[in-house]
Amino acid sequence: RKEVEQDPGPFNVPEGATVAFNCTYSNSASQSFFWYRQDCRKEPKLLMSVYSSGNEDGRFTAQLNRASQYISLLIRDSKLSDSATYLCVVRSNYQLIWGAGTKLIIKP
Amino acid sequence: DTGVSQNPRHKITKRGQNVTFRCDPISEHNRLYWYRQTLGQGPEFLTYFQNEAQLEKSRLLSDRFSAERPKGSFSTLEIQRTEQGDSAMYLCASSSLASGGRETQYFGPGTRLLVL
């Protein structure tokens, strides 16, 4: 079993739709959680950190459930520019453990 | 540009040759990480420096790989006797601990290696 698992993709959704990504992690001692976005052939860029109480940044909402070891990312009113791969990342001590990513394709 | 920079951006080499990549972190960051990413996968941790000290190496990092950060600033990653399986994107990230213990890693653009 992988340490961080994400929904296999790709997700093909129409512009304006709401899309949800799910992620589970295996190490209950994990300390921090993040969503990164990676465009094709580019480096990953931090989208948002995930806090225990859940957090929102514009159209993006992240949730963490420590008991279930589950993280989610919701994108509302999706834009064409949201097309990218979304990577779930879990920090254990100094290491970032990455999921394989879920590719999102927004169609006009 | 005050972000993380990496050189070269692309490298094509023949199997058996040695290659060296450089990473210049964000200047005030004391932590530096190397990752490797292949198509369809997330980055895989290779090694980590705090200042000039290399604190951890992944078992992915075979004895053909060596990394240095001699003055606690820039870092180099050398691959000796390259193999076709070394073809990947090599990413560098830097960070520092914020108040409250939070750490965010910022990535460079990567060096894409192709071993023929």
Side-chain angles (χ1 to χ4, degrees):
Chain A
R1 182 189 172 193
K2 291 184 178 179
E3 288 189 69
V4 178
E5 295 203 67
Q6 295 186 239
D7 290 333
F11 288 1
N12 289 278
V13 302
E15 191 176 7
T18 296
V19 59
F21 299 106
N22 301 311
C23 172
T24 57
Y25 60 96
S26 60
N27 184 353
S28 59
S30 298
Q31 300 141 332
S32 306
F33 309 89
F34 309 90
W35 285 100
Y36 275 73
R37 168 194 169 129
Q38 187 170 26
D39 292 287
C40 188
R41 304 182 75 83
K42 300 283 191 181
E43 73 275 20
K45 293 188 177 178
L46 179 67
L47 180 64
M48 57 197 305
S49 301
V50 187
Y51 303 124
S52 297
S53 55
N55 47 300
E56 186 174 311
D57 182 2
R59 298 182 293 110
F60 299 83
T61 301
Q63 297 279 352
L64 167 64
N65 184 325
R66 283 189 183 269
S68 302
Q69 295 178 205
Y70 170 87
I71 307 158
S72 66
L73 175 69
L74 191 75
I75 305 176
R76 291 182 300 279
D77 187 25
S78 53
K79 312 291 184 191
L80 295 175
S81 58
D82 293 333
S83 297
T85 296
Y86 290 82
L87 296 145
C88 174
V89 188
V90 172
R91 182 181 164 204
S92 297
N93 298 315
Y94 56 84
Q95 277 202 39
L96 291 186
I97 312 298
W98 296 71
T102 303
K103 187 172 183 178
L104 174 66
I105 301 170
I106 305 296
K107 297 190 170 181
Chain B
D1 185 355
T2 57
V4 179
S5 62
Q6 291 186 246
N7 288 289
R9 294 291 305 276
H10 304 273
K11 179 70 178 178
I12 301 174
T13 191
K14 292 183 180 179
R15 188 178 53 185
Q17 297 295 305
N18 300 342
V19 294
T20 300
F21 309 142
R22 175 175 170 132
C23 171
D24 287 87
I26 293 171
S27 58
E28 61 267 28
H29 286 179
N30 61 350
R31 294 183 173 189
L32 187 148
Y33 301 78
W34 285 99
Y35 294 88
R36 179 172 66 189
Q37 186 176 24
T38 53
L39 195 63
Q41 300 297 317
E44 294 175 300
F45 169 80
L46 293 179
T47 191
Y48 153 64
F49 290 85
Q50 180 148 319
N51 300 311
E52 66 276 9
Q54 188 174 19
L55 297 188
E56 190 65 31
K57 291 169 60 173
S58 165
R59 59 181 179 275
L60 290 175
L61 212 66
S62 76
D63 57 4
R64 296 184 298 105
F65 288 70
S66 61
E68 295 182 343
R69 195 183 183 198
K71 298 181 181 178
S73 57
F74 74 91
S75 176
T76 57
L77 177 69
E78 181 183 15
I79 309 174
Q80 296 181 325
R81 304 181 303 281
T82 52
E83 301 173 356
Q84 287 181 325
D86 297 332
S87 297
M89 171 81 93
Y90 289 83
L91 291 160
C92 175
S94 71
S95 71
S96 61
L97 274 183
S99 59
R102 290 199 177 273
E103 176 188 7
T104 298
Q105 294 187 15
Y106 294 89
F107 283 80
T111 296
R112 189 172 295 278
L113 173 66
L114 177 61
V115 182
L116 301 176

